Amino acid sequence: MRKIILMMSMSLDGFIEGPERQIDWHLVDDELHRHFNDEIRRLGGFLTGRVTYELMAGFWPTADADPAASGPVAEFAGIWRDMPKYVYSRTLHRADWNSTIVRDVVPAEVEALKSAPGGDLSVGGADLAAAFLRHDLVDAYRIYVHPVRIGGGTPLFPPGYAPTPLRLEGTRTFGNGVVQLRYERP
């Protein structure tokens, strides 16, 4: 069965975006971007919210056409276009680039998606990740801690969740100071 992996960058003080949804503090250099490409290439799809989908769709479909794009950026553009995407939105009427619109997070539907053939699924976006956490649908975590404090914004783990035991699967430190933490349910 496929796993739902929460793959997210966060500041040292636990935020995934600033107070006005800014993510300009992410320290993504070529080394980290190559790592993201390698991790994401193995996935069976993205589970994303509307805001994240629109942000990604506004840049990645043509990012590899920019002659100034680094190798990892150009490579990710193709990965993103080709990867199946499940866009959770009650308002979006159309989504391109191998996307399916899903209206609500329904645990039975997510379980059916997990039972389908293919690679693991990555959940991303602040609101969607919170919904998956509320429904206890996350099987594994790939958290990238960036060496910056931003002082406020959207926390990765909002208060109110029951304790969930996890097993550390590994860590990795990148040259820019980002640390990846990998956890799974036992």
Side-chain angles (χ1 to χ4, degrees), residues 1 12 59 78 105 117 138 170:
M1 182 176 284
L12 182 62
F59 179 75
V105 178
V138 177

Side-chain angles (χ1 to χ4, degrees), residues 40-96:
I40 291 169
R41 185 181 294 109
R42 294 189 290 254
L43 293 174
F46 295 123
L47 308 171
T48 184
R50 179 193 55 80
V51 171
T52 300
Y53 170 78
E54 289 178 338
L55 177 72
M56 301 293 278
F59 179 75
W60 289 110
T62 60
D64 52 351
D66 181 352
S70 69
V73 168
E75 181 183 22
F76 184 76
I79 294 169
W80 186 86
R81 279 192 308 265
D82 295 343
M83 184 69 62
K85 290 168 271 306
Y86 300 88
V87 183
Y88 286 79
S89 173
R90 292 186 185 111
T91 59
L92 198 62
H93 296 291
R94 179 185 162 155
D96 295 315

Side-chain angles (χ1 to χ4, degrees), residues 28 34 60 89 129 169:
V28 182
R34 278 191 298 275
W60 289 110
S89 173
E169 294 291 316

Side-chain angles (χ1 to χ4, degrees), residues 1-8 39-48 83-88 98 100 102 107-124 128-129 132 137-142 184:
M1 182 176 284
R2 305 198 279 186
K3 295 177 189 168
I4 303 293
I5 301 172
L6 187 131
M7 190 174 190
M8 194 81 67
E39 291 281 309
I40 291 169
R41 185 181 294 109
R42 294 189 290 254
L43 293 174
F46 295 123
L47 308 171
T48 184
M83 184 69 62
K85 290 168 271 306
Y86 300 88
V87 183
Y88 286 79
N98 202 14
T100 301
V102 182
E109 291 175 5
V110 174
E111 290 300 324
L113 191 57
K114 285 174 59 173
S115 296
D120 293 335
L121 303 164
S122 173
V123 63
L128 187 63
F132 270 68
L137 295 170
V138 177
D139 302 303
Y141 300 82
R142 304 293 180 268
E184 293 198 16

Side-chain angles (χ1 to χ4, degrees), residues 97-109:
W97 302 288
N98 202 14
S99 300
T100 301
I101 296 174
V102 182
R103 294 295 175 206
D104 290 299
V105 178
V106 178
E109 291 175 5

Side-chain angles (χ1 to χ4, degrees), residues 146-163:
H146 292 249
V148 60
R149 291 181 307 145
I150 63 172
T154 304
L156 176 56
F157 300 107
Y161 296 104

